Amino acid sequence: MTDKYVLKIEGLNKIFSGFEALKNISLRVKKGEIVGLLGPNGAGKTTTIKIITGLLKADHGEVSLFGNKTSSAVEAEIKAKIGVVFEESNLYLRLSALDNLKLFANINGVKLNRVKTLLKEYELYEVRDKQVKNFSKGMKKRLMICRALLAEPELLIFDEATGGLDPISAEIIREKLLNLKKQGKTVLLSTHYLEEADRLCDKIAFVNNGRVIAFNTPNSFKDKISKNFLELQFSLQKDKISLDKLKIKLNRFIKNNESFKIDKRRFSILLFIDQYVFKRADQLCRDYQFMEVNREEANLQRVFKEINS
Ligand code: ATP
């Protein structure tokens, strides 16, 4: 029987010279899903990826790939089904794009046709004979993806897929990732960017201090939060109060995780829905000119703040 999970991680622990970098990390990735590891610097994302790909050995815990438990050395047969794109370039800078791919294609028994198809698909065919050292970061990243895709892997793992790229190059890569999903590939990616995780991922694992602190779909995270907050909007009569004073007053008014936004003619405030919310809203309505009330459109920034508090 085939396992519906392409990747299963159970209770991973990793200690570096007394420092516990991973504390009981567990995660499941189904076939065809894009799952994001989202977290700040040092959260443990790269360490997790290195353990999955067999570059590091865990101190405790288990990794299963395609239904097979792996030891520290991932077996060749399983390795062939995984393509990895690391944060740092693993290309030969003095070789051309074509020669880089030909080299890795030879090692993996991949035909030249596949190399050409990938170069075309990733818009590198025109520059195939140029030395990689002259490539932009975005071009190098695209070539690294081509390298990872050579042997038509089923699972793609990206460590910081778009880190350090300009917005246009990052967008090209994101489109490519969505295309890979359409082709039925499974993707695990690490990222610092909430918007990127929101846009690409079916599920997000929030990682912090070596732990998965929450794992769910972007929408369920956002729903949970949006039900908890009420957004009130007030119009601003500039002559009445200076913006600086208003800022100080609102900062005193809000509680944990609540926030406000001041524009030229209005300000909005998010109040946590509890037994005091109407009393507090009433208080604001007495001081400022009420305009409207909305249910908040939550974003992941707020989710991240909430689950980290
Ligand atoms: P970033 O987003 O900056 O890449 P990350 O979430 O990928 O961060 P990791 O690189 O996995 O984080 O690092 C997790 C923690 O483990 C960090 O505190 C890091 O300093 C530590 N660490 C990672 N590798 C080693 C190592 N080889 N020796 C000692 N400490 C390490």
Side-chain angles (χ1 to χ4, degrees):
M1 199 180 83
T2 52
D3 200 319
K4 69 176 170 173
Y5 294 108
V6 168
L7 170 65
K8 260 199 284 191
I9 301 173
E10 297 286 347
L12 279 194
N13 263 65
K14 180 71 195 172
I15 298 171
F16 293 112
S17 339
F19 171 73
E20 205 176 2
L22 299 191
K23 300 162 188 154
N24 201 24
I25 293 250
S26 296
L27 198 70
R28 285 170 183 223
V29 182
K30 280 188 204 153
K31 185 173 162 39
E33 278 183 337
I34 300 186
V35 171
L37 296 173
L38 179 68
N41 290 123
K45 306 180 297 290
T46 303
T47 306
T48 305
I49 285 175
K50 283 186 175 165
I51 292 173
I52 296 169
T53 51
L55 290 175
L56 265 180
K57 194 176 176 332
D59 292 305
H60 291 285
E62 226 167 58
V63 175
S64 300
L65 285 159
F66 307 99
N68 301 288
K69 279 183 197 156
T70 63
S71 56
S72 59
V74 179
E75 285 159 33
E77 193 191 326
I78 293 172
K79 227 175 195 164
K81 293 187 191 180
I82 306 172
V84 190
V85 180
F86 283 107
E87 206 172 349
E88 301 297 327
S89 164
N90 54 358
L91 303 164
Y92 291 103
L93 299 181
R94 291 207 195 147
L95 293 186
S96 69
L98 181 62
D99 286 342
N100 259 284
L101 291 193
K102 270 162 97 178
L103 186 77
F104 298 115
N106 276 338
I107 296 169
N108 296 301
V110 174
K111 295 207 171 99
L112 187 60
N113 251 354
R114 171 88 183 135
V115 170
K116 287 185 178 161
T117 307
L118 281 170
L119 285 170
K120 283 180 189 159
E121 199 180 322
Y122 281 78
E123 286 147 56
L124 292 168
Y125 194 70
E126 301 299 316
V127 292
R128 64 191 180 281
D129 293 321
K130 289 205 171 134
Q131 278 188 322
V132 170
K133 69 176 181 187
N134 298 318
F135 278 16
S136 68
K137 274 188 188 166
M139 289 160 82
K140 280 186 196 139
K141 195 59 117 183
R142 277 184 275 144
L143 189 59
M144 285 162 72
I145 300 177
C146 290
R147 178 185 160 174
L149 289 174
L150 276 172
E152 306 199 44
E154 290 171 40
L155 169 66
L156 270 302
I157 300 179
F158 290 81
D159 196 5
E160 288 300 330
T162 62
L165 299 187
D166 65 73
I168 295 173
S169 306
E171 197 47 33
I172 295 172
I173 304 283
R174 290 185 196 119
E175 286 297 327
K176 297 290 178 203
L177 282 173
L178 289 170
N179 265 340
L180 289 168
K181 179 183 162 68
K182 274 189 205 149
Q183 291 163 27
K185 308 280 185 196
T186 309
V187 178
L188 177 73
L189 63 92
S190 79
T191 181
H192 296 132
Y193 306 125
L194 290 158
E195 296 78 10
E196 177 168 293
D198 189 11
R199 160 125 187 263
L200 299 180
C201 298
D202 297 298
K203 287 199 194 115
I204 299 172
F206 281 92
V207 188
N208 205 2
N209 290 324
R211 290 184 207 281
V212 173
I213 49 178
F215 183 49
N216 217 325
T217 63
N219 281 342
S220 61
F221 279 128
K222 287 189 279 186
D223 278 355
K224 196 168 154 245
I225 298 293
S226 62
K227 279 182 192 127
N228 292 342
F229 286 90
L230 198 69
E231 186 195 50
L232 297 164
Q233 290 204 20
F234 297 90
S235 107
L236 266 185
Q237 293 157 323
K238 263 197 197 155
D239 49 342
K240 248 185 150 183
I241 185 167
S242 83
L243 295 187
D244 285 342
K245 271 191 189 156
L246 176 66
K247 224 175 187 175
I248 294 170
K249 279 184 89 172
L250 294 179
N251 262 323
R252 281 195 196 128
F253 188 84
I254 57 172
K255 299 192 289 193
N256 278 351
N257 282 316
E258 293 181 341
S259 61
F260 60 84
K261 206 164 85 188
I262 303 176
D263 292 329
K264 278 184 198 144
R265 286 160 192 245
R266 59 171 64 192
F267 74 88
S268 60
I269 186 161
L270 291 172
L271 299 181
F272 188 70
I273 299 173
D274 59 11
Q275 54 182 322
Y276 306 110
V277 68
F278 292 116
K279 211 171 157 192
R280 295 177 71 220
D282 189 42
Q283 202 177 327
L284 287 170
C285 290
R286 269 185 266 137
D287 290 345
Y288 308 103
Q289 196 180 332
F290 173 73
M291 285 172 70
E292 55 183 292
V293 57
N294 292 309
R295 189 181 151 205
E296 187 211 357
E297 275 298 314
N299 64 30
L300 283 183
Q301 194 78 39
R302 173 163 296 282
V303 176
F304 192 61
K305 241 173 105 183
E306 169 126 320
I307 54 185
N308 274 296
S309 64

